[in-house]
């Protein structure tokens, strides 16, 4: 095995058995296949098999499965082994396995090592190790988390305050490390934890007009402390939508559904560019038995957004959830009419589940096959999904076999369902 090859396959999900198909093999009882592939260099099989062995009390066997992967020095395998050891209560071994990589200079090991120490009553040691590294944003964040457990909040605050005072001389190249605004956010986290809430809020207000992450942090802080009037004030001027959504969620949690709806309607109304608030408004209405209103909200947004496919998909899903596919089809038909009946596939496919719900799967498949793009691999994928959802897996396989090279993962999943495991493995 080779670490770079393992990393490439795990990152791209190519040339390997991906995790969702490993789960599918296990769900169908093919543990022997997973075990065999684990020994043959399939990382996701090895990870799943090791976890399963650990759950069965065979911890040393589980570690044996991971040993060849650990021998490559691949960081993902190291982290996985350490996590398992920690879960099993073998803390010293977990610490040792990370420490070796840290001492070897692995760039990600120090953060994992110190967080692991802090979780197991060695926060003071972790804090000391992190103090010289506050210029690194991820290690500075770890320092803030560790400081709380170590009782060293004020020392961490002093270190961060020195970073907030830095003035960039060559923006944006100056602060490749911890920039002043990020340091402000971390300092605010400490002040909130110390009970100095007003000070934390003031810090976040300092740059929240420009930093989206600070707006989100400020909104969440106000919500945590039930300072809803202040949150309303922030929401009124926050065009990012973070504060609006946080306000609405907080009101819903407090049982004020109408207040949440009103918050969305005022600041996230259809037509505003904060589409996230529009979607959340529709979801809120649907959660509380107001499906017709939810559909209307998304229908208005679909009109405004001029046929954006993601908006139409949400509208279609709502119509299906409300057992009202005809409304979704009517909207799609009206949109198609404005385009002289021409719809590219990514829009056309949205209607297929609606047709299936209204007229049956056969009609949906028949209509799909009339589309000019119906012979493409991506259209085949959606047609196969229709058939598989109706329990017609063999037909789904027949459709996808014509596009095996471009739909290998999906085809393999259906082959596994049919018990054709070796065919699936050969394809992958």
């Amino acid at each position: 095995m080779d670490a770079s090859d393992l990393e490439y396959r795990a990152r791209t999900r190519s040339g390997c058995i991906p995790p969702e198909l490993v789960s599918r093999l296990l769900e169908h009882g093919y543990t022997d296949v997973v075990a065999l592939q684990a020994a043959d260099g399939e990382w996701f099989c090895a990870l799943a098999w090791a976890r399963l062995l650990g759950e069965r009390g065979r911890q040393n066997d589980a570690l044996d499965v991971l040993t060849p992967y650990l021998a490559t020095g691949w960081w993902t395998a190291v982290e996985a082994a350490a996590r398992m050891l920690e879960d099993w209560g073998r803390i010293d071994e977990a610490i040792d396995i990370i420490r070796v990589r840290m001492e070897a200079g692995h760039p990600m090991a120090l953060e994992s090592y110190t967080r692991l120490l802090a979780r197991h009553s060695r926060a003071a040691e972790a804090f000391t190790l992190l103090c010289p590294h506050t210029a690194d944003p991820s290690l500075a964040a770890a320092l803030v988390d560790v400081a709380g457990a170590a009782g060293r909040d004020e020392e961490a605050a002093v270190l961060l305050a020195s970073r907030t005072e830095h003035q960039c001389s060559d923006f944006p190249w100056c602060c490749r490390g911890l920039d002043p605004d990020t340091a402000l956010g971390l300092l605010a986290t400490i002040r909130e934890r110390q009970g100095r809430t007003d000070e934390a809020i003031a810090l976040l207000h300092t740059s929240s007009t420009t930093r989206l992450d600070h707006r989100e942090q400020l909104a969440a802080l106000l919500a945590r402390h039930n300072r809803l009037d202040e949150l309303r004030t922030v929401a009124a001027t926050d065009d990012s939508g973070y504060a609006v959504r946080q306000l609405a969620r907080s009101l819903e949690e407090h049982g004020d559904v109408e207040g949440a709806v009103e918050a969305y309607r005022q600041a996230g109304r259809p037509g505003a560019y904060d589409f996230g608030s529009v979607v959340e408004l529709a979801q809120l209405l649907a959660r509380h038995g107001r499906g017709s209103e939810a559909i209307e909200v998304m229908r208005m947004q679909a009109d405004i957004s001029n046929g954006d496919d993601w908006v139409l998909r949400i509208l279609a899903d709502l119509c299906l959830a409300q057992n009202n596919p005809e409304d979704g089809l009517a909207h799609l038909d009206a949109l198609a009419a404005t385009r002289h009946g021409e719809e590219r596939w990514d829009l056309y496919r949205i209607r297929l589940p609606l047709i299936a719900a209204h007229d049956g799967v056969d009609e949906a498949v028949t209509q799909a096959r009339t589309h000019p793009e119906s012979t493409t691999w991506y259209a085949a994928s959606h047609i196969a999904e229709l058939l598989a959802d109706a329990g017609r897996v063999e037909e789904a396989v027949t459709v996808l076999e014509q596009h095996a090279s471009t739909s290998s993962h999906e085809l393999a999943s259906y082959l596994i369902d049919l018990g054709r495991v070796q065919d699936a493995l050969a394809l992958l």
Side-chain angles (χ1 to χ4, degrees), residues 45-103:
C45 287
L47 184 59
W49 181 229
R51 286 172 177 165
L52 193 57
L53 288 171
E55 291 168 5
R56 293 175 176 177
R58 298 170 56 186
Q59 296 174 3
N60 289 334
D61 289 338
L63 290 176
D64 286 344
V65 170
L66 297 183
T67 295
Y69 299 87
L70 289 169
T72 68
W74 186 35
W75 176 247
T76 299
V78 173
E79 274 196 311
R83 194 175 303 116
M84 286 185 193
L85 287 164
E86 184 181 10
D87 290 342
W88 299 335
R90 296 165 64 168
I91 308 305
D92 289 341
E93 292 174 78
I95 289 172
D96 284 345
I97 202 173
I98 299 292
R99 178 181 52 77
V100 169
R101 269 63 184 188
M102 182 185 70
E103 291 174 350

Side-chain angles (χ1 to χ4, degrees), residues 239-317:
D239 57 9
S240 72
Y242 287 133
V244 171
R245 293 193 286 274
Q246 186 64 70
L247 174 61
R249 291 168 193 158
S250 298
L251 291 169
E252 184 184 12
E253 288 169 4
H254 285 82
D256 186 3
V257 175
E258 283 303 325
V261 170
E262 184 60 23
Y264 279 132
R265 289 197 187 281
Q266 285 185 355
R269 63 194 180 281
Y273 68 82
D274 176 25
F275 293 161
S277 292
V278 177
V279 172
E280 288 203 15
L281 170 58
Q283 293 170 338
L284 170 68
L285 291 166
R287 277 197 303 274
H288 292 277
R290 297 163 64 173
S292 296
E293 292 177 70
I295 290 172
E296 184 58 27
V297 165
M298 289 311 302
R299 184 159 39 212
M300 291 173 61
Q301 187 60 57
D303 287 338
I304 293 165
S305 58
N306 193 30
D308 281 355
D309 56 343
W310 72 273
V311 176
L312 292 171
R313 281 198 295 272
I314 295 169
L315 172 60
D317 288 344

Side-chain angles (χ1 to χ4, degrees), residues 16-186:
C16 68
I17 305 174
E20 62 274 13
L21 294 189
V22 176
S23 297
R24 211 171 192 107
L25 286 166
L26 292 174
E27 287 166 9
H28 285 283
Y30 296 111
T31 54
D32 55 335
V33 173
V34 173
L36 184 62
Q37 294 297 321
D40 198 32
E42 287 290 345
W43 164 247
F44 294 114
C45 287
L47 184 59
W49 181 229
R51 286 172 177 165
L52 193 57
L53 288 171
E55 291 168 5
R56 293 175 176 177
R58 298 170 56 186
Q59 296 174 3
N60 289 334
D61 289 338
L63 290 176
D64 286 344
V65 170
L66 297 183
T67 295
Y69 299 87
L70 289 169
T72 68
W74 186 35
W75 176 247
T76 299
V78 173
E79 274 196 311
R83 194 175 303 116
M84 286 185 193
L85 287 164
E86 184 181 10
D87 290 342
W88 299 335
R90 296 165 64 168
I91 308 305
D92 289 341
E93 292 174 78
I95 289 172
D96 284 345
I97 202 173
I98 299 292
R99 178 181 52 77
V100 169
R101 269 63 184 188
M102 182 185 70
E103 291 174 350
H106 194 284
M108 299 175 69
L110 178 59
E111 180 179 356
S112 291
Y113 183 69
T114 51
R115 288 186 181 278
L116 180 56
L117 290 177
R119 288 197 295 273
H120 297 284
S121 305
R122 293 172 63 178
E125 181 182 347
F127 185 85
T128 300
L129 286 169
L130 287 167
C131 277
H133 302 282
T134 53
D136 183 302
S138 64
L139 295 178
L143 177 76
V144 170
D145 293 339
V146 165
R152 309 278 286 274
D153 271 342
E154 199 52 44
E155 291 174 65
V158 170
L159 290 170
L160 291 168
S162 67
R163 300 293 304 184
T164 66
E165 296 165 1
H166 170 71
Q167 297 296 318
C168 289
S169 58
D170 186 22
F171 184 83
W173 309 114
C174 178
C175 287
R176 292 185 176 182
L178 182 68
D179 64 274
D181 277 348
T182 301
L184 269 177
L186 293 172

